[in-house]
Amino acid sequence: MNKLLELAHGAQRIAILGHVRPDGDCVGACLAVWNYLAGQYPDREIQVYLETPPVKFRYLKRFDSISQDADSGKQYDLCICLDSSDAARLGAFAVYLEGAARSICIDHHITNRGYAQENLVDPQASATCELLCDYLEQDRIDRDVAACIYTGILHDTNVFKNSNTTAKTMEAAGRMMAKGIDFSRIIDESFYRKTYVQNQILGRALMESILFLHGKCIFSAIRMKDMDFYNVTAADLEGIVDQLRVTEGVECAIFLHEVENHVYKVSMRSNQYVDVSKVAAFFGGGGHIRAAGCTMSGSMYDVVNNLSSHIEKQIEEHEG
Ligand code: 5GP
Ligand code: MN
């Protein structure tokens, strides 16, 4: 038996946590583990805690039972942390990790240093859900768990096309398809469908984008007043940076959105050689080689200039 199943077997009360601003891999991984364990151990007390997850994932079983209560006063025998590179990424729910007797972290972020008692970290994996596909017993993965795992892989690979996608990724996804999930519907509903305002703000961000570093970089930003005008939340901005990234000639894309006055959440993507996780880590964030983020303060132009100097250095090194 592997460490996850061994620990879960010996725990009566289990908390499952993911990262702040939960994405498809995070929500998928948390609900995969919950649905799996609930199937195996119907008598256990299990709870997933996450910041409000995007409603597009509501087709996943137990989505409506995810709790936002970071102050329940509950102590857990086991805390399972998924898809979070460090304890700070757990946000307010880190209290459940601190109070738990045992803890395990399953993650695929290269910046993960191992903050739980047990750490199953594999940066080769495209998604935390790809790892779960190995750690959960195949014949006990039902259609509901499979839908969660498939969703996680789908989102962290941007529909199986990011450079993190491997033959192993496709095999894992294939095994989930064989469980009878409605994969076409999952892809459309959770990935391609956009609300009207999401399309509007995407259009606005693209229209106002600026090329720099001889067309190798592109950036765009959305201010709080724009978000108020379109009545969108941070979750509605997902995907904008990926659209910037596919601009012809671009190596690196930066998308900023203002989270408070003169504080910006930074999303970065690269295509071939810039290591954006290095840039993000320098400014206190993290992520992957081709997708990373951080939070920075200053004016929009201060932020871009600071990022730009690091990116320019990498481009120069690459070009020799
Ligand atoms: P996104 O740009 O989609 O928000 O994030 C891209 C990747 O960077 C994600 O895998 C996420 O885990 C990581 N990331 C984004 N923001 C932060 C941050 O503030 N800190 C850390 N450690 N990782 C981040
Ligand atoms: Mn992930």
Side-chain angles (χ1 to χ4, degrees), residues 109-163:
H109 289 93
I110 198 164
T111 46
N112 193 315
R113 298 247 168 91
Y115 55 90
Q117 292 168 1
E118 303 288 339
N119 298 280
L120 304 175
V121 180
D122 180 1
Q124 302 297 327
S126 67
T128 297
C129 281
E130 184 184 323
L131 289 174
L132 288 176
C133 211
D134 284 342
Y135 295 140
L136 304 179
E137 293 153 296
Q138 286 312 298
D139 50 354
R140 295 187 169 180
I141 294 177
D142 64 13
R143 197 158 58 116
D144 293 321
V145 175
C148 296
I149 291 177
Y150 186 87
T151 297
I153 296 174
L154 181 73
H155 280 262
D156 262 21
T157 59
N158 278 318
V159 195
F160 312 111
K161 70 177 172 54
N162 281 3
S163 59

Side-chain angles (χ1 to χ4, degrees), residues 55-301:
V55 289
K56 64 187 175 189
F57 299 121
R58 73 183 148 218
Y59 60 88
L60 297 175
K61 188 177 173 186
R62 289 194 161 80
F63 178 89
D64 292 326
S65 304
I66 294 172
S67 172
Q68 270 88 56
D69 185 3
D71 196 20
S72 71
K74 286 226 169 100
Q75 294 262 323
Y76 287 92
D77 304 320
L78 174 64
C79 179
I80 303 173
C81 304
L82 300 166
D83 201 38
S84 298
S85 54
D86 54 65
R89 291 277 290 160
L90 302 170
F93 306 113
V95 291
Y96 297 116
L97 171 65
E98 287 151 20
R102 306 297 306 271
S103 62
I104 183 165
C105 163
I106 301 175
D107 184 32
H108 68 125
H109 289 93
I110 198 164
T111 46
N112 193 315
R113 298 247 168 91
Y115 55 90
Q117 292 168 1
E118 303 288 339
N119 298 280
L120 304 175
V121 180
D122 180 1
Q124 302 297 327
S126 67
T128 297
C129 281
E130 184 184 323
L131 289 174
L132 288 176
C133 211
D134 284 342
Y135 295 140
L136 304 179
E137 293 153 296
Q138 286 312 298
D139 50 354
R140 295 187 169 180
I141 294 177
D142 64 13
R143 197 158 58 116
D144 293 321
V145 175
C148 296
I149 291 177
Y150 186 87
T151 297
I153 296 174
L154 181 73
H155 280 262
D156 262 21
T157 59
N158 278 318
V159 195
F160 312 111
K161 70 177 172 54
N162 281 3
S163 59
N164 61 1
T165 313
T166 63
K168 200 161 174 260
T169 311
M170 301 308 283
E171 278 159 22
R175 273 185 272 146
M176 297 305 102
M177 285 169 76
K179 302 281 181 183
I181 57 172
D182 190 348
F183 55 90
S184 304
R185 186 168 155 241
I186 289 177
I187 294 174
D188 265 346
E189 264 190 37
S190 72
F191 200 89
Y192 288 110
R193 184 166 303 160
K194 285 191 182 278
T195 64
Y196 181 60
V197 287
Q198 283 167 355
N199 270 334
Q200 279 188 307
I201 200 129
L202 166 68
R204 163 98 183 233
L206 297 179
M207 201 162 64
E208 294 184 347
S209 65
I210 295 173
L211 282 170
F212 63 108
L213 296 180
H214 308 288
K216 295 237 159 53
C217 264
I218 190 165
F219 101 91
S220 190
I222 295 287
R223 290 204 182 85
M224 274 193 302
K225 64 175 168 54
D226 306 321
M227 294 178 67
D228 291 343
F229 179 81
Y230 291 100
N231 193 21
V232 294
T233 64
D236 294 313
L237 308 175
E238 220 191 312
I240 293 178
V241 71
D242 294 295
Q243 192 58 45
L244 292 168
R245 178 185 62 85
V246 294
T247 310
E248 191 171 337
V250 160
E251 165 58 19
C252 183
I254 302 171
F255 176 67
L256 315 177
H257 80 267
E258 196 178 18
V259 286
E260 51 188 277
N261 194 23
H262 280 147
V263 179
Y264 286 90
K265 177 73 207 169
V266 178
S267 279
M268 288 181 286
R269 298 291 184 272
S270 64
N271 281 318
Q272 277 167 11
Y273 54 86
V274 170
D275 180 348
V276 287
S277 78
K278 246 193 216 166
V279 181
F282 183 87
F283 294 105
H288 313 278
I289 296 174
R290 301 275 167 262
C294 55
T295 301
M296 292 169 71
S297 31
S299 77
M300 193 164 93
Y301 295 99

